[in-house]
Amino acid sequence: MSAMALRSLNLPGVGTKYEIMTDKGDTIAIFFTKTGTIQMYTLEKGNQSPCAVVMTAVEARRLGNILTGAIIEADQESVEIAFSALSDLRVTIHTFFVPASVTGKTIEDLQIRTKTGATIIAVCRHDKNIVNPPPSFAFETGDAALVIGESDQIIKFEREIMVE
Amino acid sequence: MEGFIIALFVCLVLALISKYLSIPAIPFYIIAGVILGKAGLGIVRSDEISQFFSSMGLLFLLFFMGLELKLDRIIANPSKVLTGGLIGLTVDMGIGFAAAYLLGFTLMESFIVGAAFYITSTAIIITSLIENRKLMSVEAETIIWVTVFEDLVLIIILAILSASDQNLLLFVVKIALALAVIYAISYYGKEFLVSILERDDEIPILFTFTAVLITASVALYLEIPETLMVIALGAAFATTDPNAFEQHARPFRDVFMVMFFVFFGVTIDFASGVNWSVVAIICTLAILSKLVSGMLIGLVIHGSALSGLEIWANMICRGEFSIALAVLYGSPIIATTIAAMVIVTSIVGSFTAKYSTWMRRGIVNRSRRKALMYRPHAGR
């Protein structure tokens, strides 16, 4: 990762610029402008004029999710965050809609942490968010759970807990 | 008061039109002011209320400039800022000053005209770089640093102009004391300031507004220029949480600046005996002199005349700072001259900025075609 040339620069009045030079010599520049939009420029090696797109913050986040290879389905989103400073620590956050087999059971009953290592950090119920649900928290039909862990733990969680 | 509301309404309509056409609104505000005011229909008159709003506009413009003025970053890469900046300063200020002096202005007037002639509009330039999607070009960074340098020069110009009629030693001591107080407050009170800015009620915005006004009125009381003190306040606050301050100061700046431009237009008086051929010469030179400085900057920094052309195309616009100088130190004749220059350069400049890539492509294609057509032995 450290070989990749990433340059960040704060331009007075404009915003923050990030520039990545790829191994093949292409350049990608991203500007978070003060106007709130995000501009992405791509410049092919040896070319003079870059291509530019303008995105809103939401669009940019979606693009970011796609680039990390994480979006699986439109309603079940997953985000992988890599902290390159912490010896490349990668954490995945995944949303799951709880199946019928789980409804009525508590987090303690399911032994989620001991079985899978993943942690439920939030549950979305009827458009309300319950952050950090206690072990005694019981699932209902229609709940969406936000699970955090390493990607292996998330896969384990999907196989062992989210069984139909 | 009715005139004031008419002016506001006209500005709103003009702002919508200019956004729709994506050209800068500043020249339209001034033109609207000229048409509504003294020189035109005479519907809107400058009164105490409008003067208050205009001076607010100036204060918040300068406060904002101070917030953006991150001295540590300028010190961190001085070569970038200095090379382009110094070329621009000598060429443009030189041409502007010389032209004004030769055209019959006094030394002092020529200095003000030269300064207004030199300083470009950071607001228009940055907006057009973003809107025309030119941020990635190598020239964009150079342009941004040149505008930062111009901000620094503006501070020096303001200091020189306001120091000229005072006891210099007392003046410097007073300014140094005021600066020390402002910096001490933002250094020792940093946690307090940040905690105020983090609140989600009306306190942050009220605090920002009050801080600017108190600074200005204390400066007036001490008889030191409030313009400089407000810039210093911005620069000092920038060491705490500049983004929060920008967010809270932006609404004030946006509204008051419009008033500032309109009522600048309103006060313009053609009866003051303006020589229109002089104005025309200054406007033409304002465009040409940026071509010279742009070319030099392009050749020195990027080693390319095409880069120079790009820099020129983006840096023609004069705007808010030129008008600020006219408002603060200009006679009616100077104000009219600068108003015309701002209107002409900002309209011409917005078109050159928009179509510079076409221009560039045209030149490249033509030279390529010439190279292809070139037959060294055809004459035999």
Side-chain angles (χ1 to χ4, degrees):
Chain A
M1 291 297 278
S2 55
M4 187 179 69
L6 171 70
R7 202 163 71 97
S8 91
L9 182 72
N10 208 324
L11 292 171
V14 173
T16 318
K17 170 188 183 178
Y18 295 92
E19 200 175 78
I20 299 170
M21 180 84 116
T22 65
D23 279 348
K24 306 239 184 247
D26 300 332
T27 313
I28 302 165
I30 291 164
F31 295 82
F32 286 81
T33 67
K34 290 252 157 94
T35 52
T37 59
I38 292 136
Q39 294 196 349
M40 186 170 83
Y41 295 75
T42 52
L43 181 64
E44 204 182 324
K45 184 186 180 183
N47 210 329
Q48 283 292 314
S49 41
C51 285
V53 286
V54 180
M55 294 175 279
T56 63
V58 175
E59 288 159 350
R61 220 171 299 137
R62 183 146 293 171
L63 175 69
N65 285 350
I66 294 168
L67 289 176
T68 55
I71 287 197
I72 299 158
E73 293 164 45
D75 55 345
Q76 293 212 354
E77 278 188 71
S78 167
V79 183
E80 189 179 65
I81 309 163
F83 297 92
S84 34
L86 302 174
S87 71
D88 228 1
L89 170 68
R90 285 160 180 279
V91 178
T92 306
I93 303 171
H94 201 297
T95 59
F96 290 101
F97 288 98
V98 298
S101 60
V102 173
T103 52
K105 290 183 181 163
T106 64
I107 294 178
E108 207 171 6
D109 294 341
L110 294 163
Q111 286 184 291
I112 290 170
R113 184 109 38 112
T114 32
K115 276 188 183 167
T116 68
T119 309
I120 294 188
I121 49 163
V123 175
C124 180
R125 175 177 292 170
H126 307 307
D127 294 330
K128 273 192 181 167
N129 295 322
I130 302 142
V131 181
N132 264 328
S136 59
F137 180 87
F139 288 106
E140 287 179 13
T141 30
D143 283 358
L146 196 65
V147 187
I148 188 166
E150 288 182 345
S151 59
D152 293 351
Q153 295 172 332
I154 299 290
I155 293 166
K156 221 172 178 186
F157 179 86
E158 187 169 11
R159 287 199 189 132
E160 297 194 10
I161 311 291
M162 294 289 119
V163 276
E164 294 290 332
Chain B
M1 194 65 195
E2 294 87 6
F4 186 75
I5 291 161
I6 293 170
L8 249 183
F9 179 74
V10 169
C11 286
L12 179 64
V13 174
L14 287 174
L16 278 171
I17 295 173
S18 87
K19 291 281 171 294
Y20 180 74
L21 298 172
S22 76
I23 38 178
I26 295 177
F28 293 100
Y29 295 146
I30 302 171
I31 293 172
V34 172
I35 292 173
L36 293 171
K38 253 188 205 170
L41 304 171
I43 306 170
V44 183
R45 219 164 290 149
S46 158
D47 55 15
E48 263 180 35
I49 305 171
S50 70
Q51 277 160 17
F52 174 75
F53 277 101
S54 300
S55 56
M56 288 290 106
L58 183 59
L59 291 180
F60 276 93
L61 168 74
L62 295 173
F63 176 65
F64 229 79
M65 187 190 114
L67 282 175
E68 288 287 351
L69 200 76
K70 282 138 197 162
L71 289 170
D72 48 325
R73 212 172 299 140
I74 297 166
I75 295 162
N77 45 58
S79 61
K80 266 188 194 171
V81 185
L82 281 180
T83 319
L86 284 175
I87 293 173
L89 176 65
T90 37
V91 171
D92 296 317
M93 186 101 175
I95 292 178
F97 176 79
Y101 191 65
L102 292 176
L103 290 168
F105 288 99
T106 65
L107 264 181
M108 192 62 193
E109 286 173 338
S110 303
F111 179 68
I112 293 160
V113 172
F117 184 95
Y118 157 64
I119 287 190
T120 56
S121 165
T122 309
I124 298 178
I125 289 173
I126 302 273
T127 315
S128 79
L129 280 179
I130 293 176
E131 278 185 6
N132 296 324
R133 305 183 183 188
K134 282 189 185 158
L135 291 177
M136 196 191 179
S137 65
V138 282
E139 296 87 9
E141 216 171 295
T142 308
I143 292 168
I144 291 166
W145 288 116
V146 170
T147 62
V148 169
F149 183 87
E150 291 180 352
D151 291 350
L152 291 178
V153 173
L154 176 69
I155 297 174
I156 297 167
I157 291 172
L158 286 176
I160 294 173
L161 287 175
S162 50
S164 54
D165 55 343
Q166 297 214 23
N167 178 345
L168 204 60
L169 184 69
L170 188 66
F171 180 74
V172 171
V173 168
K174 279 195 287 193
I175 285 194
L177 271 179
L179 284 180
V181 170
I182 289 175
Y183 272 91
I185 290 173
S186 47
Y187 184 79
Y188 293 106
K190 187 171 177 173
E191 277 176 31
F192 173 70
L193 286 175
V194 170
S195 74
I196 278 194
L197 290 171
E198 274 170 358
R199 298 173 65 108
D200 50 9
D201 48 15
E202 71 276 24
I203 303 291
I205 197 161
L206 189 62
F207 175 80
T208 310
F209 188 69
T210 318
V212 173
L213 257 69
I214 288 181
T215 308
S217 46
V218 168
L220 274 178
Y221 179 74
L222 292 175
E223 292 177 333
I224 49 178
E226 71 269 33
T227 47
L228 286 183
M229 284 305 112
V230 172
I231 297 173
L233 182 77
F237 278 180
T239 58
T240 60
D241 188 352
N243 293 334
F245 274 116
E246 277 180 27
Q247 184 200 330
H248 299 308
R250 182 165 286 134
F252 296 119
R253 184 199 57 170
D254 289 353
V255 173
F256 295 146
M257 277 296 286
V258 175
M259 296 286 94
F260 174 70
F261 291 128
V262 175
F263 282 96
F264 170 66
V266 166
T267 51
I268 281 175
D269 192 358
F270 294 153
S272 57
V274 183
N275 185 340
W276 288 107
S277 50
V278 168
V279 173
I281 293 171
I282 298 235
C283 291
T284 318
L285 281 176
I287 295 168
L288 292 179
S289 118
K290 289 285 172 194
L291 179 62
V292 178
S293 63
M295 278 296 179
L296 281 173
I297 295 171
L299 285 171
V300 170
I301 295 184
H302 303 292
S304 142
L306 279 179
S307 287
L309 209 61
E310 182 71 49
I311 291 169
W312 169 68
N314 284 287
M315 293 206 74
I316 294 174
C317 302
R318 318 301 203 282
E320 64 277 19
F321 297 128
S322 305
I323 293 171
L325 285 168
V327 168
L328 287 168
Y329 302 106
S331 65
I333 295 180
I334 290 181
T336 313
T337 311
I338 292 178
M341 183 181 70
V342 167
I343 291 169
V344 170
T345 56
S346 58
I347 291 175
V348 171
S350 74
F351 281 101
T352 53
K354 203 180 257 176
Y355 299 112
S356 69
T357 26
W358 291 16
M359 201 161 68
R360 205 168 156 162
R361 213 171 289 155
I363 289 169
V364 171
N365 283 346
R366 211 173 55 201
S367 56
R368 201 173 288 158
R369 211 174 302 137
K370 248 189 205 162
L372 286 174
M373 301 284 279
Y374 180 58
R375 306 248 190 290
H377 309 295
R380 287 191 197 165

